[in-house]
Amino acid sequence: MKCWEKIESSGWIYPTTVLSLYGFFANCRPAEPFLTPYLVGPKNISEEVVTNYLFPIWTYSYLAILFPVFLLTDFLRYKPLIVLQGLFLIINYLLLCFAKSLAAMTYLQVNYAVVTSMEVAYFSYIYSIIPAERYQRATGYLRSAMLSGFTFGATLGQLLISLAGTSYFHVNTITLALMGMAFLISLSLPMPQRGMFFSKGMSTALNTQQNGTEEAAGKESGKGSDAVQGLETGGWFSKKNILHGGQVLWSSLRESYTSRKLILWSLWWALATAGYGQVFNYIQLMWDHIEPSSTSSVYNGGVEAVCTLVGAAAAVSVSHVKVRWEVWGELALGMFSAVGAGCIFLMGLTSNIWLCYAGYVIFKASYMLLITITTFQIASNLSMECYALTFGINTFTALALQTVITAIVVDDTALGLDIVTQFIIYGSYYAAISLLFLIRGMYTACGHHCRSTPTPSSVTADSSDHKQQTETHIES
């Protein structure tokens, strides 16, 4: 009996291990930090075309694909989308290795938008297949695997280029092989039996039938019969299943956005992530502007590896700092956003590549610190279904804002600004976020101080009550 219980309790290990391996290899991309030098160098595409034409296509495509993929991911129960992501990663690097035309590079941006939109499946899969008491540990493993893969890939790319003298083409072929490994690993994932929104009712019904216990049948009789009927009449795509998923989505939405505190945390998430996305997307172009990759040594991979390590250390440190985030959280968001704004201005205005590198490291580390705090604050007050929905909505809102910025500032059909002017605008954007949350944070902190400080009248009342109680005690 004890042996059987041990096997049951360890059933979460296999899917977590396989998904962690997938996360490591899928994010181990030695060529990614050198995408811009590869496009403006061997691919012979001008910096203006990359900045004002190619990269905006990724933003627009990502916005168009994200929400449908979010719903489809849950409907198809995660694994098919993870497998597809591995397949699209292979296509991505096949195009980078062997395609030469601008049209192929344009499709490449759409293809990569599909890859990034499917990341929600990676983070949601594990919650549908393991017990709730394992969520925290499994999440830690998945994030560690992802960060380890990214760090190892960036370091490997830097070593191949700087020490081994490997060409950008061969670094991309190595990355292609790693993506093939990730795809093969994804095929080994077990298929979840339920989603978090859709098909939950029918899964409950099937489990009820399999268990055959009167207690389970009594508790789930209404839901079970409806779900079984839906399964018989239309399967996973039945009208009852879709209606059930819609009801769960609506109730989760109401729970997620009825708290003012959660709205403020989500607001920072959306605003800051939009600005971070712009900086992350165009930082390689800034580095190439300061020191062209055609005539200078490139250290993009090393910088990205350091960014990830410093950011991960900053994120881990959050769990060891005891702060009343409900009081000081908004002020912290404002202060660290100010640090981020200063770093972006430094990146945009300096002509020293090492100062630009340092500014980027500090900016990314401060963002990873704050997004960790924000994620924890939101997740700790919501159920897992609500958290998944809030994550999707916040990401979609951030992407919508990023698309607006791209359409106005970057796209060659609008302003089509140069890279330096873009970074000045991004710095101003972050400064506005900082000012907003500094004002709000000071208001919250002052309000808490006023509520916790006793007024003279209350002190007098307390002392008189104490005196009266003493006299009563003496009389008695």
Side-chain angles (χ1 to χ4, degrees):
M1 183 68 178
K2 291 183 178 180
C3 182
W4 174 254
E5 289 177 354
K6 186 176 181 181
I7 294 173
E8 286 293 312
S9 64
S10 63
W12 69 282
I13 295 178
Y14 175 73
T16 304
T17 301
V18 175
L19 193 62
S20 296
L21 284 172
Y22 172 80
F24 177 86
F25 281 99
N27 287 278
C28 185
R29 308 172 195 170
E32 189 169 277
F34 306 95
L35 175 61
T36 296
Y38 184 54
L39 292 176
V40 300
K43 292 297 182 182
N44 198 27
I45 302 174
S46 69
E47 184 178 313
E48 290 74 18
V49 172
V50 173
T51 305
N52 304 123
Y53 171 70
L54 279 181
F55 284 0
I57 292 174
W58 172 85
T59 306
Y60 302 150
S61 302
Y62 189 13
L63 179 65
I65 294 170
L66 179 62
F67 193 69
V69 167
F70 173 74
L71 295 178
L72 193 63
T73 297
D74 189 82
F75 210 94
L76 297 181
R77 291 176 289 158
Y78 313 106
K79 178 181 175 177
L81 274 295
I82 295 175
V83 174
L84 278 177
Q85 186 188 46
L87 181 61
F88 274 81
L89 278 168
I90 292 175
I91 296 172
N92 198 74
Y93 285 94
L94 281 173
L95 290 171
L96 280 172
C97 288
F98 303 110
K100 297 180 179 179
S101 66
L102 182 60
M105 295 300 101
T106 301
Y107 173 73
L108 171 71
Q109 299 302 314
V110 179
N111 185 85
Y112 190 65
V114 176
V115 170
T116 49
S117 67
M118 290 178 180
E119 287 180 357
V120 66
Y122 176 78
F123 290 111
S124 302
Y125 169 90
I126 207 68
Y127 301 124
S128 67
I129 205 167
I130 68 171
E133 62 269 16
R134 305 291 185 180
Y135 282 175
Q136 184 174 358
R137 184 181 295 185
T139 301
Y141 291 151
L142 295 184
R143 289 198 174 274
S144 298
M146 183 183 69
L147 292 173
S148 299
F150 187 84
T151 304
F152 180 80
T155 305
L156 177 61
Q158 189 65 62
L159 292 175
L160 288 171
I161 289 173
S162 297
L163 298 183
T166 309
S167 66
Y168 291 134
F169 171 78
H170 287 103
V171 173
N172 275 278
T173 57
I174 293 170
T175 308
L176 174 61
L178 291 169
M179 296 307 101
M181 180 67 70
F183 173 72
L184 292 177
I185 291 173
S186 70
L187 298 174
S188 303
L189 287 168
M191 187 72 176
Q193 297 302 311
R194 66 180 179 90
M196 296 181 72
F197 298 111
F198 298 104
S199 66
K200 179 177 287 189
M202 285 185 289
S203 300
T204 304
L206 291 175
N207 292 333
T208 301
Q209 284 186 329
Q210 292 171 357
N211 292 335
T213 62
E214 293 183 0
E215 181 181 358
K219 289 182 178 179
E220 300 292 342
S221 59
K223 294 180 182 178
S225 59
D226 289 345
V228 172
Q229 184 180 0
L231 185 61
E232 291 174 351
T233 56
W236 298 103
F237 297 95
S238 68
K239 182 179 178 180
K240 287 183 178 293
N241 187 26
I242 295 174
L243 290 176
H244 172 77
Q247 290 172 356
V248 175
L249 281 169
W250 175 245
S251 62
S252 300
L253 182 65
R254 291 179 61 186
E255 180 183 339
S256 301
Y257 293 98
T258 52
S259 168
R260 183 177 298 178
K261 286 289 183 184
L262 290 181
I263 290 174
L264 285 170
W265 287 106
S266 296
L267 177 63
W268 182 88
W269 180 335
L271 292 174
T273 301
Y276 169 79
Q278 287 298 100
V279 173
F280 180 78
N281 286 347
Y282 294 94
I283 188 61
Q284 290 187 31
L285 287 158
M286 175 57 73
W287 292 337
D288 205 75
H289 172 78
I290 296 174
E291 282 200 9
S293 56
S294 58
T295 58
S296 307
S297 298
V298 177
Y299 299 99
N300 298 6
V303 173
E304 290 288 2
V306 171
C307 281
T308 305
L309 291 174
V310 173
V316 169
S317 68
V318 172
S319 61
H320 300 285
V321 177
K322 295 187 180 299
V323 177
R324 294 188 63 183
W325 295 112
E326 70 276 7
V327 178
W328 305 107
E330 294 159 10
L331 204 57
L333 293 177
M335 292 173 63
F336 280 100
S337 296
V339 172
C343 291
I344 298 173
F345 280 126
L346 175 64
M347 287 183 272
L349 298 175
T350 186
S351 58
N352 186 310
I353 189 64
W354 294 104
L355 283 177
C356 190
Y357 285 155
Y360 180 65
V361 171
I362 297 172
F363 168 76
K364 191 168 183 178
S366 64
Y367 172 79
M368 291 182 71
L369 172 70
L370 293 180
I371 200 67
T372 302
I373 296 170
T374 303
T375 302
F376 170 75
Q377 288 299 309
I378 292 176
S380 61
N381 292 283
L382 295 173
S383 62
M384 189 52 61
E385 291 91 342
C386 294
Y387 171 65
L389 182 63
T390 304
F391 174 83
I393 292 176
N394 290 349
T395 303
F396 183 82
T397 305
L399 188 56
L401 289 171
Q402 189 178 342
T403 302
V404 172
I405 297 171
T406 301
I408 297 174
V409 175
V410 183
D411 201 308
D412 54 5
T413 59
L415 296 178
L417 299 176
D418 62 272
I419 193 66
V420 173
T421 308
Q422 285 184 39
F423 268 69
I424 293 173
I425 292 175
Y426 303 152
S428 303
Y429 173 82
Y430 247 83
I433 297 173
S434 171
L435 182 62
L436 173 64
F437 279 88
L438 281 174
I439 294 173
R440 174 67 193 181
M442 287 187 288
Y443 173 79
T444 302
C446 289
H448 172 76
H449 178 73
C450 293
R451 288 191 298 271
S452 60
T453 303
T455 61
S457 59
S458 64
V459 173
T460 304
D462 291 342
S463 61
S464 63
D465 290 342
H466 177 71
K467 182 178 179 181
Q468 185 178 2
Q469 290 173 4
T470 304
E471 291 174 351
T472 304
H473 178 70
I474 292 172
E475 290 175 359
S476 62

